[in-house]
């Protein structure tokens, strides 16, 4: 019974009518390599690491201002942008991570985006890095500093009226800014 099933399987097998002279004709290694080379060269053309169009910024902005940090590349097709604030991821693709404030959002444009920070405060002072999801490390860094309105304490707090020859001690102390 086993022998007849084996013969039946062999007779109905699709390998029975192979139009090749030998098994080596089925596996032409030169042809496979040629195809692989074409595939690799096409893949390299498609996956070229994008180059940045925007330039790194050093920003000194007043507290309460709106900041717009650019991240634009020459070819974003198939790649994703990632924003970090002092090495903490704050946005991936078109989405800001939920744990960050509503004051921060992305303004998407062709070839990239702006990281927008409304009502800038001293806590926004940091290094912001935008990187491209590519094999080669590709990133742009923006250095943000926030200038705060100075808070000054003077002494004495009230006005002084002095006569000629009188002495007074005045002081000024900067609390913030």
């Amino acid at each position: 019974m086993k022998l007849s099933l084996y013969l039946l399987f062999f007779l109905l097998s699709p390998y029975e009518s192979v139009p090749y002279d030998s098994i080596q004709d089925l596996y032409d290694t030169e042809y496979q390599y040629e195809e692989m080379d074409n595939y690799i060269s096409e893949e390299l053309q498609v996956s070229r690491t994008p180059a940045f169009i925007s330039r790194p910024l050093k920003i000194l902005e007043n507290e309460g201002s709106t900041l717009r940090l650019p991240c634009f590349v020459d070819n974003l097709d198939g790649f994703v942008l990632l924003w970090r604030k002092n090495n903490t991821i704050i946005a991936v693709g078109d989405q800001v991570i939920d744990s960050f404030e509503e004051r921060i959002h992305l303004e998407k444009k062709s070839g990239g985006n702006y990281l927008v920070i409304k009502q800038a405060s001293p806590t926004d002072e940091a290094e912001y890095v935008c990187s491209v999801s590519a094999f080669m490390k590709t990133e742009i860094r923006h250095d943000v500093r926030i200038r705060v309105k100075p808070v000054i304490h003077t002494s004495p707090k009230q006005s002084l009226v002095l006569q000629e020859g009188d002495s007074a001690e005045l002081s000024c102390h900067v609390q913030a800014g």
Side-chain angles (χ1 to χ4, degrees):
M1 179 76 173
K2 280 186 176 180
L3 183 58
S4 62
L5 283 175
Y6 178 75
L7 285 172
L8 181 61
F9 176 75
F10 183 76
L11 291 174
L12 296 175
S13 168
Y15 298 110
E16 169 185 356
S17 59
V18 176
Y20 299 102
D21 294 332
S22 71
I23 194 73
Q24 289 173 327
D25 291 338
L26 286 172
Y27 300 103
D28 184 355
T29 55
E30 278 187 34
Y31 179 75
Q32 288 179 345
Y33 280 55
E34 183 180 310
E35 281 297 310
M36 184 57 87
D37 289 344
N38 288 341
Y39 175 75
I40 289 171
S41 66
E42 286 179 23
E43 183 176 321
L44 289 175
Q45 288 175 357
V46 172
S47 64
R48 180 185 63 78
T49 302
F52 279 97
I53 297 170
S54 47
R55 297 286 173 227
L57 299 175
K58 286 190 176 199
I59 298 175
L60 175 61
E61 196 61 61
N62 292 331
E63 183 177 22
S65 298
T66 297
L67 307 173
R68 293 178 79 231
L69 306 176
C71 185
F72 292 93
V73 294
D74 61 355
N75 179 18
L76 190 56
D77 295 337
F79 294 95
V80 175
L81 298 177
L82 180 128
W83 279 98
R84 295 187 316 266
K85 174 185 176 184
N86 292 335
N87 294 321
T88 301
I89 296 173
I90 59 173
V92 178
D94 297 331
Q95 299 294 316
V96 175
I97 305 298
D98 291 336
S99 63
F100 281 86
E101 304 176 41
E102 291 179 9
R103 298 180 308 109
I104 299 174
H105 70 274
L106 293 173
E107 189 178 297
K108 186 178 177 184
K109 300 283 184 187
S110 176
N113 61 36
Y114 287 99
L115 180 68
V116 179
I117 304 170
K118 295 180 179 178
Q119 295 294 312
S121 71
T123 60
D124 297 318
E125 200 168 279
E127 179 182 61
Y128 292 86
V129 178
C130 178
S131 55
V132 178
S133 63
F135 178 71
M136 292 179 57
K137 186 176 182 179
T138 308
E139 57 189 28
I140 185 172
R141 297 170 181 274
H142 301 299
D143 185 41
V144 174
R145 300 290 170 241
I146 305 298
R147 180 176 31 224
V148 296
K149 185 176 179 179
V151 177
I152 301 171
H153 293 285
T154 59
S155 176
K157 294 194 184 274
Q158 61 273 27
S159 300
L160 283 179
V161 178
L162 299 173
Q163 298 291 326
E164 188 175 336
D166 289 348
S167 65
E169 187 174 315
L170 304 175
S171 67
C172 177
H173 178 70
V174 178
Q175 287 291 113

